Amino acid sequence: MLPDTIIEKAVRNGMKTLTEAKSKRLLANYGIPVVEETVVQTESDAVGRAASYGFPVVLKALGEKLTHKTDRGLVALDLRSESEVRDAFHRLNAAAGQDWEACLVQPMVRGKREFAAGFFRDLQFGPVIMFGLGGIFAEAFKDVVFRMPPLSRIDIRNLVDALVCRKLLFDFRGEAAVDVDQLAQVLNGLSRLAAEHPCIAEVDINPLIAKPDGRIVAVDALIGLGDETCTTGDGEMSARSCGDAEAAIQRAIDKMVHPRSIAVMGAKRQVGKLLSGADLFKRLQEFGFPGRLYPVNPRAESEIHGRKAYRDLFSLPEIPDHVIVCMPATFVPDALRDCATVGCKNIHIFTAGFKETGEAEGLRLQAEIEEIAQCGGLHVIGPNCMGLYVPESRTVTWPEASTTSGPVAFITQSGGHARDFTKFASSRFGIHFSKVVSYGNALTLDCTDFLKYVARDDQTRIVLMYLEGIEDGRTLFDVVQRTSREKPVIIFKAGMTDAGVRVAASHTGALAGSENIWNAFFCQSGAVRATSLEELAALTQAFLHLEDCGGRRVAILGSGGGISVNAADACTRSGLTLPVFPPNLFKMAGESISTAGNIVSNPIDAHKMFFDLPQLGRMMKHLSDGSYVDMFIVSLQLDWLYTDSGRDMNYMEGIATYIATEGKAMANGKPLVVGWRQFLDIPEVNHLTHRIREILLANGVPVYEGMADAAIVLSKLAGYHEFRRQS
Amino acid sequence: MLPDTIIEKAVRNGMKTLTEAKSKRLLANYGIPVVEETVVQTESDAVGRAASYGFPVVLKALGEKLTHKTDRGLVALDLRSESEVRDAFHRLNAAAGQDWEACLVQPMVRGKREFAAGFFRDLQFGPVIMFGLGGIFAEAFKDVVFRMPPLSRIDIRNLVDALVCRKLLFDFRGEAAVDVDQLAQVLNGLSRLAAEHPCIAEVDINPLIAKPDGRIVAVDALIGLGDETCTTGDGEMSARSCGDAEAAIQRAIDKMVHPRSIAVMGAKRQVGKLLSGADLFKRLQEFGFPGRLYPVNPRAESEIHGRKAYRDLFSLPEIPDHVIVCMPATFVPDALRDCATVGCKNIHIFTAGFKETGEAEGLRLQAEIEEIAQCGGLHVIGPNCMGLYVPESRTVTWPEASTTSGPVAFITQSGGHARDFTKFASSRFGIHFSKVVSYGNALTLDCTDFLKYVARDDQTRIVLMYLEGIEDGRTLFDVVQRTSREKPVIIFKAGMTDAGVRVAASHTGALAGSENIWNAFFCQSGAVRATSLEELAALTQAFLHLEDCGGRRVAILGSGGGISVNAADACTRSGLTLPVFPPNLFKMAGESISTAGNIVSNPIDAHKMFFDLPQLGRMMKHLSDGSYVDMFIVSLQLDWLYTDSGRDMNYMEGIATYIATEGKAMANGKPLVVGWRQFLDIPEVNHLTHRIREILLANGVPVYEGMADAAIVLSKLAGYHEFRRQS
C-alpha cells in the first residue's frame, strides 16, 4: 500500500492512530530506517521467523486497541532461544486478551543509545520537529529539542549542541558516533511527511536506537491522526490570492504611515489629566501633523481645538487616509460600519475593552468587529493599542515624542512600551525611529504585516519587536528569517512563564506560546533575542554603530582588579573568549606596565593608561594589528578617574574623546564599546556621565553600565553575524 | 577484617585502590547496602554459587590490576543458566589473562534506575559528598550534585530537587519511589567514612541500583586511597590550641578596628595624582583619625603632613596598635622583621607585587613574608589590599569615604570593590557600614577570621562578602552556616568561569574553586548569593528594611500592561508565585477598576490608582488582611506619572510619601518594595527620582529599577528566611 492509501483508509475508518506496523511502513517510505519485522499469527510462525532473523529477537502484541505496550506487558525483549520465543508468545497473547490481533517479530536491535524523534503540530507554529533522548528515561529527562522544518545542516548541528545528552551522539563507550547523514535523513523525512500529510497530527519514534556502528534505526513508532483533511490544497492559487491580499495590506500600511488626512472618531474638546482617547486629536496637532485633520464626534460642537468638527464620517469633505477610533468600546462596531460604508479602510482602534478583558462582553465585541472588518475589507491596527508613531509624518498618539527620525523600526504589542521605549532610546542613547507601531489585540494587522513593511523600508536599518503572542507563528518565523539576512531583527518576547502567559492574555489577549518552540524560533530565524526593554536599547546601540566582528575573542582594557575578575566571568558566561596575551607582549612592544597592582594578561587592568592615553591607543593598535582579538571593551572606572583627575571634568571628557576618536581608529574597524562603573551618586558626576555618553555615542562607541551588559551585547552581535555568514 | 585493618593493610602495601570486594565490605560496615557476592576460584564454585543465588547472575573478573572492567570485557551480566555461567567464566578468565586472581559471583540486581554516590576531597573544602545519575550514562549527562557532609534531611531533599533526573527518585514506570531513608543512610555512611578515614581519597559507588521495590543497593564500588595517614589526629588538643590562636586573632582584629595609634611605614610628603601607598597617611588625617598617628620613613624628614616623622619603628614612643606598610614590595620583608622585633603584631600591607603577579620574584617575596609573619606571630591584612574602613574609628585608606556608621559589614578580597561599593551604597541607598575590610592576598588573616569577628559584633546586623578565592573553604562554610542563623551573610563569589579563575589568580593570587562546590556552599550554608555588586546593594536594602515574609506569594500593583507581563515573567523566573485574585475580589470590596485598559487579577495594572491613592491603600489592606499574598511590589511608572500629573513634582513626592507611610501600614508588616521604570533621561526627572528614592528609603521601603531586580531580591529574602526557619 502506498502512504496515501494507508492514511486515507485509517482516517476514513475514524482511526486516531496508525498501528505500529503501519506507522513504520509509512516512515520507511520517507527514508526513515526502521527495524525489520514480520507480523505473524501463530506460535510456529513466530518461532520460524525468529530463527530466520537469528536470536535474540523481540515479540510484541499487535492490535488497534493495544497502546502503552511496555507498561501493559505486551513486549518481550531479548528472547534468546526458541523456547523463550514460545513462552513469550503465550504470555503476550494472554496479556492482550481479546484485543489480540497478531504478533510482531523483530530482531533485537542492540545499542546503548536510545533517542526519540518525531513531530507535532503547534497551534501557532504548525509542524515542529523534535529530537532528543528516548527510551525509558525520555520522560524523566525531557531532554528534547524542537526545530521548525525543514532543517538545514546547521540547524541539525545546533540542535545536537542544544541537547544535554549530546555526548551520546559522539563515540560512546565503544560504540561509534551517530551517523549524522542518517540523522539528517530521519529529520528531513519527518519534515516532508509533515508537509505532505496535514492529516497526520503527530509522529513519535521512540526508541530510535543507535547501533554500535553508529547507524540509527526506528524500533517503535506511533503516528497520530488529526482532524485535517488529507488534501494539501491548491497551493499555487492560494499563494496568488494571498499575494494580492498581502499587497493590499502593504499599501494600506504605507498609507497609514504617510497619511495626507486623518479623521479622529471620538475626538473631544475636554482633555483629561490621564492619557485617554479623547487626547489623541490634540496630540496629532501638537506633534505638528501637516496634513488634514478631521475631528469627528456625534455630539460635535462646531469646532474642536480650532478645527471644524464633524458629526460623522459621512459629513467629511474626503475619504481620509487614516481613521483613528477612540470612542468607548460599545460604540466601536457602529464606527467600523460607518468606515466600511464610507470606504475608509485604514483604521486604528485605540479603544480597549475587547478580548483582552477575558469577559463575555469583550469577547463578543471583538468577534463583532472582527466580522465587520472582514466583510468590509478593513485594515485595522488594534484594538487596545497606541497605533502609529512616525516622526517623519508627524504622526503620534502620545505626548512628548521626539520629532527626529532615525533608522530604527519598533513593532510592539504593548502601547506603554512603545511610548516609554522610544523616549528612553532617544533621550538616553540618541536612538531615533523610522516607524513605530503598537498593535495590541491584532484584529487584522499583526506584527508580521508590519515586519514585512519595515523589511522593505529603506529608512529602516534595524527592526525591534516586542511580542506577547502571535497567531500565525510560522509566517512570522519565515519573514523574520528572510529579513534577518538583510537587517537585524531584535525581538523581546514576553509571556514566557505560566504567569506571564496568563497576564499577556489579559493585556493584549495574546496566545503566548511555549518556551521550547520560541527557543527554536530564535535559534533558527536569526532573530537577536532581548530579554528586557533595557537590553533592547543596549543591543540597538551595538547594531547601530558596530560592524561584523568576525569572531568572539575580546580584549578588555581598563581599571579595576575586581572589575576585571567580574568582566572575565561575564564574558565567558556570555560566550565570548578572553585570549591570554603572551606575558611579554606589551613589554616587547615597548610599553611598561608593572605587574604589581596591575593585571597584564587579559583583561589589562592598568589605571595609569588613562593618564597616558597614547599608551592605551598603542596597546589597542598592537592587539588589533596582531589579530590577537576580534573586539574591544574599554573599562572606565569613572569614580576613580573623577577623583584621580582632581575632579577635572575637562580631563574626563578628554578621555572620552580620545577613546571615541583615536582609540576607535586604533581598533581598526573591530567593534569597540565602553563598559563603565559609576557608583558615586552625586549630581556633578551624574552630569559628567551624561556628557561622556554623548561624546562616545556621537562617535559611534556604544556605552554600557557594567561589563556584564557589554559582554552580552557583543556576544549577541557576534551571534547575529555568524547567522548572516552561514545563511 | 575490621575496616581499619583493611585500609591500613592496603596503605601499607602502597595500594592506590581497594579491590571491588574489599571496597564493598568496607561500605557495608558503614551501613551502605551492597549486593550479595562471593569470591570464587573455580568454574564449579561459580556454577554452584550461581545456582544458590538463583538465576540470573553476574560474573566479574577480580584482580588488583583489573580496573575499567566493563570496557575490558571483564563483566558478564544477566547470565540465565548454568551453561551461560560456564561460558562466561571461561571468557572472563581468558580476557583477564595473567591478571586473573579470582571471580566474583553476584545475583543480577534488576532495576531500571541506576545512580552514583560517593565522595572526594577538595583542596579547599575537604570531603564533598556526591550523588546523581549513575550507570553508563553518568558521563554523558553529568547530572551529579555535590554537598558538604554531614547532610541533614533538608540537604538531602534539596539535593534531590537539584538533580535533572529527580523524577527517577519517585514512582517510575511501575517501580516504587526510592527509599529516602535508605538514601540518607548511604549518604550519611559516606560522610562518616570520610570523617573517620582521612587516607581514603575518594569513594565511587556506581551503579547504586534502585530495585523495583525502591530499595537501593551498591552493585559496584571503588575506594581510592590517598597520601594522608590513617590517623585522625588528636582532635581535642588541636581544637584547644586552635582556640587559643583564634582568640589571639580576634583580639588582633579588634585592636586594628579600634586603634589608639597607627604607624604608616612608607608615608611620604609628596602625594601623587593617582592613588598610592604614599597617600595613606594623609587619608587617615583627612578622615579625622583621632588617635596617635606616626609617619615612618627611612628617609624621614622632620615632619610629614604636620606630624613628627620617624626613621623607623624603633624610634617610636610606643608600640602602635596598628601598622600600615606601604613601601615598595622589596622593602616589605625588612619592614615586617622590624615589626616582629619591636612587637608590632597587627599589620596591614597595602603594597602589591606578591604572589598575585604569578612571577618568580613575587612568589618568592610572598613566601618570605609568610615565613616572617609566622615566626613573628604577626597578624597581617593583605598584602595587595586597601585594608580597613571603620567610620566609627575614623580609619580608612581611600578618599571621600562617608563618616556615617551603619549596621553593615563588608569583607572583600578586592580593594577597588571596597572603595567603590561603600560609596555606591551610602550615596545612593543610604546604606552605611560598621566595619569594612579589603584583605587581598590573605597572608595570615582571611575572610573567615573577619567573618568571625563581625558575626560577634553588635554593631553589625548584615554581613556582605566579596570573594575571589579561599584556602580553607570548609571552615568558611561552617562559620557562614553558623552566622547565617543569626544574621544574613550575603556573598558575591567571583572567579566562577575558567577566565574568571585565571584573572582572580592574577588579581589576588586566589584559588577560586569549582562552581559545583560553590553551589553546594550556597545551598547549604544559608548564605544569600549575589552575582554583582549592584545586586549586593539591592539585597542589602531588602535585608535592612524588610522582615520575614513567611512565603513566596507576591502581589504587584501599579501601572503598565507590558510591564505587568514582564513582571509576571520575572517573578515566576525568580521563584515567586503570583496568586490569581478572584475576578470579583475588588468589586466586592467596593473598588471599581474597569477591565478595559486595565489588568485586574494579579498584577493589578490600574494607573488610575495613583490619582486615588487611598484606593491603592485599601486594595493593599484587603490583600493583606485576607492573606492573599506574602509580599507587595508597587510598580511605579515614573514617566507616566510625571506627564499625567502635569509635571507636578509635589504630587509625585506625595505618591512616594503615601506608599512609604500609609501604603506601608496597609501592608501590615509584609515586605513592601517599589519597582520603578524611569526611562526619560532628563535632569528634572533624574532629580525627582533621586528624591523619591530618598523618601521611600527613609521610611524603609526598598526601591529597584525594574521589576526583575525587585523579584530577584524578594525571592532571595524569602529563601533566607526559609533557611532560618528550617535550621
Side-chain angles (χ1 to χ4, degrees):
Chain A
M1 250 193 306
L2 288 169
D4 289 348
T5 329
I6 295 177
I7 302 167
E8 268 168 31
K9 195 178 152 197
V11 170
R12 213 164 43 234
N13 291 340
M15 306 302 301
K16 288 285 152 213
T17 56
L18 295 183
T19 62
E20 181 181 341
K22 283 179 190 162
S23 293
K24 276 188 279 193
R25 265 160 57 204
L26 183 55
L27 294 174
N29 260 300
Y30 280 81
I32 295 164
V34 297
V35 68
E36 275 185 285
E37 59 190 17
T38 312
V39 178
V40 299
Q41 298 289 349
T42 65
E43 181 188 321
S44 63
D45 283 355
V47 169
R49 184 45 75 176
S52 72
Y53 283 142
F55 294 101
V57 297
V58 174
L59 258 58
K60 297 180 183 178
L62 268 193
E64 299 286 2
K65 293 184 187 159
L66 299 178
T67 53
H68 303 290
K69 293 195 190 92
T70 307
D71 294 352
R72 288 176 59 187
L74 299 171
V75 178
L77 298 172
D78 195 18
L79 306 172
R80 297 182 195 171
S81 63
E82 196 181 303
S83 71
E84 289 192 7
V85 169
R86 285 185 201 284
D87 287 351
F89 188 91
H90 288 291
R91 203 167 61 240
L92 300 190
N93 187 290
Q98 57 187 19
D99 295 335
W100 173 274
E101 290 173 19
C103 180
L104 205 57
V105 185
Q106 303 171 342
M108 172 87 182
V109 177
R110 294 271 176 204
K112 298 189 174 99
R113 298 164 292 177
E114 301 192 336
F115 300 99
F119 74 76
F120 62 93
R121 293 185 193 274
D122 181 73
L123 208 56
Q124 295 159 292
F125 286 93
V128 177
I129 304 292
M130 48 142 280
F131 176 74
L133 183 74
I136 60 169
F137 298 113
E139 180 62 21
F141 280 93
K142 290 199 192 315
D143 184 20
V144 167
V145 174
F146 295 162
R147 288 294 181 261
M148 318 281 178
L151 280 74
S152 68
R153 279 267 139 188
I154 289 160
D155 288 334
I156 291 174
R157 201 183 62 203
N158 290 340
L159 185 165
V160 169
D161 283 347
L163 285 169
V164 177
C165 71
R166 59 188 166 277
K167 283 199 176 173
L168 299 184
L169 285 122
F170 303 110
D171 290 335
F172 179 76
R173 299 182 74 95
E175 301 193 345
V178 168
D179 184 334
V180 177
D181 288 331
Q182 223 194 358
L183 176 60
Q185 190 181 321
V186 168
L187 301 178
N188 291 335
L190 289 167
S191 299
R192 280 196 296 124
L193 188 60
E196 292 172 12
H197 295 286
C199 58
I200 296 182
E202 57 178 332
V203 172
D204 186 18
I205 304 174
N206 183 11
L208 177 74
I209 296 184
K211 293 188 283 189
D213 64 0
R215 304 280 295 168
I216 50 179
V217 57
V219 168
D220 196 356
L222 189 71
I223 293 184
L225 302 171
D227 298 327
E228 299 289 318
T229 63
C230 288
T231 60
T232 50
D234 188 335
E236 207 177 318
M237 190 170 140
S238 66
R240 193 155 60 81
S241 68
C242 197
D244 287 350
E246 194 183 308
I249 289 170
Q250 294 299 313
R251 280 195 305 274
I253 296 175
D254 196 55
K255 220 171 192 178
M256 290 194 264
V257 163
H258 302 105
R260 290 158 305 173
S261 53
I262 302 177
V264 181
M265 298 182 78
K268 280 188 195 161
R269 255 187 176 168
Q270 291 289 343
V271 172
K273 204 169 186 180
L274 306 191
L275 180 101
S276 89
D279 315 344
L280 300 191
F281 187 81
K282 190 148 171 272
R283 296 274 154 69
L284 282 165
Q285 278 188 315
E286 285 171 353
F287 199 51
F289 176 68
R292 298 175 294 280
L293 264 180
Y294 303 111
V296 179
N297 193 317
R299 286 172 297 178
E301 299 114 66
S302 58
E303 56 86 27
I304 290 177
H305 300 301
R307 302 282 174 117
K308 178 172 167 16
Y310 298 84
R311 299 185 62 85
D312 50 40
L313 287 182
F314 303 97
S315 336
L316 295 182
E318 65 174 317
I319 297 173
D321 285 348
H322 185 29
V323 176
I324 300 177
V325 178
C326 50
M327 315 154 97
T330 47
F331 294 94
V332 172
D334 278 342
L336 287 199
R337 284 188 194 98
D338 284 1
C339 288
T341 309
V342 172
C344 298
K345 303 231 164 181
N346 309 323
I347 299 155
H348 159 211
I349 307 176
F350 170 86
T351 312
F354 295 89
K355 78 168 171 182
E356 83 283 359
T357 62
E359 295 172 348
E361 175 63 3
L363 294 168
R364 195 192 60 69
L365 278 171
Q366 174 121 1
E368 188 177 354
I369 61 171
E370 187 166 359
E371 202 189 321
I372 300 167
Q374 265 173 7
C375 295
L378 306 181
H379 303 292
V380 178
I381 302 177
N384 181 29
C385 71
M386 298 297 286
L388 290 164
Y389 163 45
V390 185
E392 189 195 27
S393 313
R394 291 290 189 276
T395 310
V396 79
T397 59
W398 57 79
E400 296 149 354
S402 162
T403 54
T404 310
S405 286
V408 180
F410 183 31
I411 300 166
T412 163
Q413 205 147 4
S414 160
H417 283 358
R419 172 184 171 181
D420 302 342
F421 180 77
T422 49
K423 287 183 190 178
F424 180 51
S426 57
S427 70
R428 189 164 307 178
F429 305 109
I431 295 168
H432 297 288
F433 294 86
S434 55
K435 278 93 194 168
V436 175
V437 59
S438 139
Y439 64 92
N441 294 14
L443 189 74
T444 78
L445 297 179
D446 76 0
C447 57
T448 309
D449 298 309
F450 300 111
L451 176 58
K452 283 177 184 164
Y453 183 80
V454 298
R456 277 191 288 249
D457 176 31
D458 288 339
Q459 293 177 338
T460 299
R461 270 176 47 212
I462 297 172
V463 183
L464 312 183
M465 302 181 91
Y466 169 78
L467 303 177
E468 293 187 350
I470 175 81
E471 295 230 334
D472 181 358
R474 179 65 209 208
T475 306
L476 176 67
F477 172 80
D478 291 333
V479 178
V480 168
Q481 194 177 55
R482 205 162 58 226
T483 308
S484 293
R485 295 191 181 113
E486 306 290 327
K487 31 183 121 174
V489 181
I490 312 175
I491 302 180
F492 172 20
K493 169 68 180 79
M496 298 301 269
T497 63
D498 288 349
V501 167
R502 173 177 63 76
V503 181
S506 21
H507 180 219
T508 49
L511 198 60
S514 96
E515 178 134 30
N516 274 333
I517 297 181
W518 280 101
N519 288 343
F521 180 99
F522 281 100
C523 182
Q524 293 179 273
S525 69
V528 180
R529 189 174 207 158
T531 55
S532 66
L533 290 188
E534 288 82 353
E535 191 184 348
L536 207 58
L539 288 164
T540 308
Q541 276 197 68
F543 281 92
L544 264 181
H545 299 303
L546 306 177
E547 301 296 315
D548 183 1
C549 41
R552 288 177 168 270
R553 297 169 306 158
V554 63
I556 301 172
L557 297 99
S559 304
I563 295 175
S564 295
V565 178
N566 309 153
D569 278 341
C571 287
T572 309
R573 288 216 167 103
S574 305
L576 301 177
T577 59
L578 277 87
V580 183
F581 303 140
N584 287 316
L585 180 66
F586 297 112
K587 209 176 274 176
M588 286 189 312
E591 305 298 338
S592 74
I593 305 173
S594 159
T595 53
N598 296 311
I599 297 171
V600 293
S601 49
N602 186 15
I604 298 163
D605 156 34
H607 187 51
K608 192 171 126 307
M609 291 188 296
F610 295 105
F611 296 90
D612 177 9
L613 292 166
Q615 183 182 45
L616 173 65
R618 287 193 305 272
M619 297 203 324
M620 287 180 61
K621 184 165 172 20
H622 196 60
L623 292 171
S624 179
D625 288 354
S627 278
Y628 289 100
V629 294
D630 306 304
M631 50 179 98
F632 293 91
I633 304 177
V634 173
S635 164
L636 284 187
Q637 219 310 0
L638 292 179
D639 299 331
W640 297 8
L641 296 173
Y642 173 73
T643 303
D644 293 344
S645 71
R647 308 184 186 191
D648 182 340
M649 301 296 171
N650 287 330
Y651 190 80
M652 298 277 284
E653 290 196 19
I655 294 175
T657 305
Y658 183 87
I659 294 168
T661 54
E662 284 163 88
K664 197 180 169 190
M666 299 304 184
N668 199 19
K670 293 179 196 283
L672 163 66
V673 306
V674 164
W676 78 34
R677 177 191 280 185
Q678 186 239 315
F679 272 176
L680 203 55
D681 192 14
I682 55 177
E684 196 181 354
V685 179
N686 290 333
H687 175 77
L688 178 71
T689 55
H690 199 94
R691 179 76 194 112
I692 288 180
R693 188 191 277 121
E694 267 177 7
I695 294 170
L696 291 167
L697 285 175
N699 289 281
V701 177
V703 45
Y704 301 102
E705 289 187 33
M707 305 300 281
D709 285 1
I712 289 167
V713 163
L714 285 174
S715 173
K716 291 186 179 181
L717 179 75
Y720 173 70
H721 287 292
E722 285 158 11
F723 169 84
R724 283 279 291 264
R725 283 196 296 276
Q726 286 167 353
S727 56
Chain B
M1 249 192 306
L2 288 171
D4 289 347
T5 329
I6 294 177
I7 301 167
E8 268 168 30
K9 193 177 154 200
V11 170
R12 212 163 45 235
N13 291 340
M15 305 302 301
K16 288 285 153 213
T17 57
L18 295 182
T19 62
E20 183 181 338
K22 284 179 189 161
S23 293
K24 276 187 281 193
R25 265 161 55 204
L26 183 54
L27 292 175
N29 260 301
Y30 280 82
I32 295 165
V34 299
V35 68
E36 275 186 283
E37 58 190 17
T38 311
V39 179
V40 298
Q41 297 290 348
T42 65
E43 182 187 321
S44 64
D45 282 355
V47 169
R49 184 45 75 175
S52 73
Y53 283 143
F55 294 101
V57 296
V58 173
L59 259 58
K60 296 181 183 176
L62 268 193
E64 300 285 2
K65 293 183 185 159
L66 299 178
T67 54
H68 301 291
K69 293 195 191 93
T70 307
D71 294 352
R72 288 175 60 185
L74 299 171
V75 178
L77 297 172
D78 196 19
L79 305 172
R80 298 182 194 171
S81 64
E82 194 182 304
S83 70
E84 289 192 6
V85 170
R86 286 187 198 284
D87 287 352
F89 188 91
H90 289 290
R91 202 167 63 240
L92 300 189
N93 187 290
Q98 58 188 17
D99 295 335
W100 173 274
E101 290 174 18
C103 181
L104 206 57
V105 185
Q106 303 171 343
M108 172 87 183
V109 177
R110 294 274 176 201
K112 297 189 175 95
R113 298 164 291 177
E114 300 192 336
F115 299 99
F119 74 76
F120 63 93
R121 293 185 192 275
D122 181 74
L123 208 56
Q124 294 159 291
F125 286 93
V128 177
I129 304 291
M130 50 143 280
F131 176 74
L133 184 73
I136 60 169
F137 298 113
E139 179 62 22
F141 280 93
K142 290 199 189 318
D143 184 19
V144 167
V145 173
F146 296 163
R147 286 295 181 263
M148 317 281 179
L151 279 73
S152 69
R153 278 268 140 188
I154 289 159
D155 288 334
I156 290 173
R157 200 183 64 202
N158 290 340
L159 185 164
V160 169
D161 283 348
L163 285 170
V164 177
C165 70
R166 58 188 168 276
K167 283 199 175 173
L168 298 185
L169 284 120
F170 303 109
D171 291 335
F172 179 76
R173 300 182 72 96
E175 301 193 344
V178 168
D179 183 335
V180 177
D181 290 329
Q182 223 194 358
L183 176 60
Q185 190 181 321
V186 168
L187 300 178
N188 291 335
L190 289 168
S191 299
R192 279 197 296 124
L193 188 59
E196 293 172 12
H197 295 285
C199 57
I200 297 182
E202 56 179 331
V203 172
D204 186 18
I205 304 174
N206 184 10
L208 178 75
I209 295 184
K211 294 188 281 190
D213 64 0
R215 304 281 296 170
I216 49 178
V217 57
V219 168
D220 196 358
L222 190 72
I223 291 183
L225 303 172
D227 298 329
E228 299 288 319
T229 63
C230 288
T231 60
T232 50
D234 188 335
E236 207 177 317
M237 190 170 142
S238 66
R240 194 156 58 83
S241 68
C242 198
D244 287 349
E246 194 182 310
I249 288 169
Q250 295 298 315
R251 279 195 305 274
I253 295 174
D254 195 55
K255 220 172 195 177
M256 291 195 264
V257 163
H258 303 105
R260 291 157 304 173
S261 53
I262 302 177
V264 181
M265 299 182 77
K268 280 189 196 161
R269 255 189 176 166
Q270 290 290 342
V271 173
K273 203 168 188 181
L274 306 191
L275 179 103
S276 89
D279 314 344
L280 299 190
F281 187 81
K282 191 146 172 275
R283 296 274 154 70
L284 282 165
Q285 278 188 314
E286 285 171 352
F287 199 51
F289 177 70
R292 298 176 294 281
L293 262 181
Y294 302 111
V296 178
N297 194 318
R299 286 173 297 179
E301 298 113 68
S302 58
E303 56 85 26
I304 290 177
H305 299 303
R307 302 282 173 116
K308 177 173 169 13
Y310 297 84
R311 300 183 62 84
D312 49 40
L313 288 182
F314 303 97
S315 337
L316 295 182
E318 66 175 317
I319 296 174
D321 284 348
H322 185 28
V323 175
I324 300 176
V325 177
C326 51
M327 316 156 96
T330 46
F331 294 94
V332 172
D334 278 341
L336 287 199
R337 283 189 194 97
D338 284 0
C339 288
T341 308
V342 172
C344 298
K345 302 231 166 184
N346 310 323
I347 299 156
H348 159 213
I349 307 176
F350 170 85
T351 312
F354 295 88
K355 80 168 171 180
E356 84 282 1
T357 62
E359 294 172 351
E361 176 63 3
L363 294 168
R364 195 192 59 70
L365 278 171
Q366 174 121 3
E368 188 177 353
I369 62 172
E370 188 166 357
E371 204 189 321
I372 299 167
Q374 265 175 6
C375 295
L378 306 182
H379 304 292
V380 178
I381 302 177
N384 180 29
C385 71
M386 299 297 288
L388 290 163
Y389 163 45
V390 184
E392 189 195 27
S393 313
R394 291 289 190 276
T395 309
V396 78
T397 58
W398 59 78
E400 295 149 355
S402 163
T403 53
T404 309
S405 285
V408 180
F410 184 31
I411 299 166
T412 163
Q413 205 147 7
S414 161
H417 283 359
R419 172 183 171 181
D420 302 344
F421 180 78
T422 50
K423 288 183 190 178
F424 179 51
S426 58
S427 70
R428 189 165 307 179
F429 304 109
I431 296 168
H432 297 287
F433 294 86
S434 55
K435 278 91 194 171
V436 176
V437 58
S438 140
Y439 63 93
N441 294 13
L443 188 75
T444 77
L445 298 178
D446 76 359
C447 56
T448 309
D449 299 310
F450 301 111
L451 176 58
K452 284 178 185 164
Y453 184 79
V454 298
R456 276 191 287 250
D457 177 31
D458 287 340
Q459 294 176 338
T460 299
R461 269 178 46 213
I462 297 172
V463 183
L464 313 182
M465 303 182 89
Y466 169 77
L467 302 177
E468 293 186 351
I470 175 81
E471 295 230 335
D472 182 358
R474 179 65 208 208
T475 306
L476 176 67
F477 171 80
D478 291 333
V479 178
V480 168
Q481 195 177 54
R482 203 162 58 228
T483 309
S484 293
R485 294 190 182 116
E486 306 290 329
K487 29 184 122 172
V489 181
I490 312 175
I491 302 181
F492 172 20
K493 169 69 179 78
M496 297 302 269
T497 64
D498 289 349
V501 167
R502 173 177 63 75
V503 182
S506 20
H507 181 220
T508 49
L511 197 60
S514 97
E515 177 135 27
N516 275 333
I517 297 181
W518 280 101
N519 288 343
F521 181 99
F522 280 101
C523 183
Q524 293 179 273
S525 69
V528 180
R529 188 174 207 158
T531 56
S532 66
L533 291 188
E534 288 83 352
E535 193 184 346
L536 206 57
L539 288 164
T540 308
Q541 275 196 68
F543 281 93
L544 264 182
H545 299 303
L546 305 178
E547 300 297 315
D548 183 1
C549 41
R552 290 178 166 268
R553 297 169 307 158
V554 63
I556 302 172
L557 297 99
S559 305
I563 295 174
S564 295
V565 178
N566 309 154
D569 278 340
C571 287
T572 310
R573 289 215 167 104
S574 305
L576 301 177
T577 57
L578 277 88
V580 183
F581 304 140
N584 286 316
L585 180 65
F586 298 112
K587 209 175 275 176
M588 286 189 311
E591 305 298 337
S592 75
I593 304 173
S594 161
T595 53
N598 296 310
I599 297 171
V600 294
S601 48
N602 187 15
I604 298 164
D605 157 35
H607 187 51
K608 192 171 128 303
M609 290 187 298
F610 296 104
F611 297 90
D612 177 7
L613 291 167
Q615 184 183 45
L616 173 65
R618 287 192 306 271
M619 295 199 334
M620 287 180 62
K621 182 163 169 30
H622 196 59
L623 291 171
S624 179
D625 288 353
S627 278
Y628 291 98
V629 294
D630 306 303
M631 49 178 98
F632 293 92
I633 304 178
V634 173
S635 164
L636 285 187
Q637 219 309 359
L638 293 179
D639 299 332
W640 297 8
L641 296 173
Y642 174 73
T643 303
D644 293 343
S645 70
R647 308 184 186 191
D648 182 338
M649 301 297 175
N650 287 331
Y651 190 80
M652 299 276 286
E653 290 195 18
I655 295 175
T657 304
Y658 182 88
I659 294 169
T661 54
E662 285 166 87
K664 195 178 171 193
M666 299 304 183
N668 199 19
K670 293 181 197 282
L672 162 66
V673 307
V674 164
W676 76 35
R677 178 191 282 184
Q678 186 239 317
F679 272 177
L680 202 55
D681 193 15
I682 56 177
E684 197 181 353
V685 179
N686 290 334
H687 174 77
L688 178 70
T689 55
H690 199 94
R691 180 74 194 115
I692 289 179
R693 188 190 277 119
E694 267 176 8
I695 294 169
L696 292 167
L697 285 176
N699 290 281
V701 178
V703 47
Y704 301 101
E705 289 187 34
M707 305 299 281
D709 285 0
I712 288 168
V713 163
L714 286 174
S715 174
K716 291 185 179 181
L717 178 75
Y720 172 71
H721 287 293
E722 285 158 10
F723 170 84
R724 283 279 292 264
R725 283 196 296 275
Q726 286 166 354
S727 55

